[in-house]
Amino acid sequence: LRVGQAGNRVEELENLTYSALEEMGITMVHIQNKVDMAQVFLWLQEKSIYGEGSLLYNPTPGVNFGPSDLIRNLMVAPVMNEDLTFQKSYYERHWLFPIEKETPDLNAALSNFVDAEDRGLPKDSPLHRSKFEEGVRSIMNKPGKDSQPMLIYARFLSLYERRIMQICGGPVNLTGETPSFLPGQGSGDAPDAEEPQPPSAEVVRQVADTLLKDIQTFVASRKT
């Protein structure tokens, strides 16, 4: 390294060390009730990775999740209640080898996949936007292109939610502010019948399996 480069590197390491020792936080979740771990994980992911503060500035160190990382987590979350051997096999068979290792620019491919899905909707069908996507768009200082990293995941989540709604026949609660899948949360003992409820684990798994197959087909078609 040149002297100037070495100096910059030392300053960068100093900043990372300070952030790690003084600013990094650790989250521990103690599950006291029988809940769907996939829904808990996704709720925590969205609150920690794409909370309002992190959309604007995140000085703490660690691995910066890109949209493809968040989408991967979304797709494999339905098998979190399975044993680790099955989880690893599912990840490798459905995501790692047929999608991630076959795509030079995975973020761009996933953005294009959502574009294709949106274009395939009937002309009289409104484009569904999840509350999360609406929130991301409202936080941004100015309208951004749909290919911007924070919007790729938000748009994919809207597609994921749209497919679940098609099966359930109406709105669903995937990751609410006070999730009804956490017993003891909310104002009453029983969930409000008028509030959207979480989809069943079977529906979530069905949608994830189908989306993974569709992404694999899309990725393969781009190689031919």
Side-chain angles (χ1 to χ4, degrees):
L1 292 175
R2 296 178 181 176
V3 175
Q5 293 176 326
N8 292 336
R9 183 59 175 166
V10 170
E11 182 179 358
E12 180 182 354
L13 291 174
E14 288 177 347
N15 292 335
L16 288 173
T17 301
Y18 176 82
S19 295
L21 296 176
E22 303 294 336
E23 297 178 336
M24 179 180 288
I26 299 176
T27 299
M28 181 179 71
V29 179
H30 180 60
I31 303 298
Q32 297 179 317
N33 304 284
K34 185 177 181 180
V35 296
D36 188 330
M37 292 302 297
Q39 289 179 305
V40 174
F41 175 81
L42 294 175
W43 181 71
L44 288 171
Q45 170 174 279
E46 291 181 10
K47 299 307 172 188
S48 61
I49 301 300
Y50 275 154
E52 293 187 7
S54 65
L55 282 173
L56 302 176
Y57 179 58
N58 180 18
T60 55
V63 177
N64 292 322
F65 278 12
S68 61
D69 298 310
L70 300 175
I71 292 171
R72 175 201 62 219
N73 292 347
L74 180 68
M75 291 293 92
V76 301
V79 299
M80 286 187 66
N81 292 318
E82 305 289 348
D83 62 75
L84 292 179
T85 300
F86 181 88
Q87 291 184 46
K88 181 176 182 293
S89 174
Y90 185 89
Y91 162 67
E92 291 177 346
R93 289 184 292 111
H94 295 282
W95 179 271
L96 181 61
F97 295 116
I99 296 175
E100 186 169 327
K101 288 189 175 296
E102 296 294 325
T103 314
D105 188 343
L106 187 52
N107 290 333
L110 292 170
S111 180
N112 292 334
F113 171 74
V114 177
D115 288 340
E117 288 290 311
D118 290 347
R119 288 195 301 268
L121 289 173
K123 293 183 179 180
D124 58 346
S125 178
L127 181 62
H128 171 71
R129 281 186 179 178
S130 64
K131 289 185 178 180
F132 183 77
E133 181 180 353
E134 294 287 1
V136 169
R137 290 183 182 276
S138 68
I139 291 171
M140 297 177 66
N141 293 328
K142 58 183 180 180
K145 295 181 179 179
D146 287 345
S147 59
Q148 289 187 355
M150 68 180 68
L151 280 175
I152 295 175
Y153 173 66
R155 293 175 59 232
F156 188 93
L157 184 63
S158 294
L159 166 62
Y160 173 76
E161 187 173 290
R162 183 172 75 218
R163 290 205 178 184
I164 290 179
M165 289 170 59
Q166 289 172 347
I167 296 175
C168 295
V172 293
N173 178 9
L174 294 181
T175 54
E177 288 297 327
T178 52
S180 56
F181 56 81
L182 293 178
Q185 299 295 320
S187 57
D189 295 331
D192 190 336
E194 296 182 358
E195 293 183 357
Q197 297 303 306
S200 68
E202 291 75 16
V203 169
V204 172
R205 175 67 180 275
Q206 177 185 345
V207 170
D209 287 345
T210 303
L211 268 173
L212 284 167
K213 290 178 181 177
D214 290 346
I215 298 171
Q216 293 170 19
T217 300
F218 181 82
V219 168
S221 69
R222 290 304 179 98
K223 292 185 64 177
T224 57

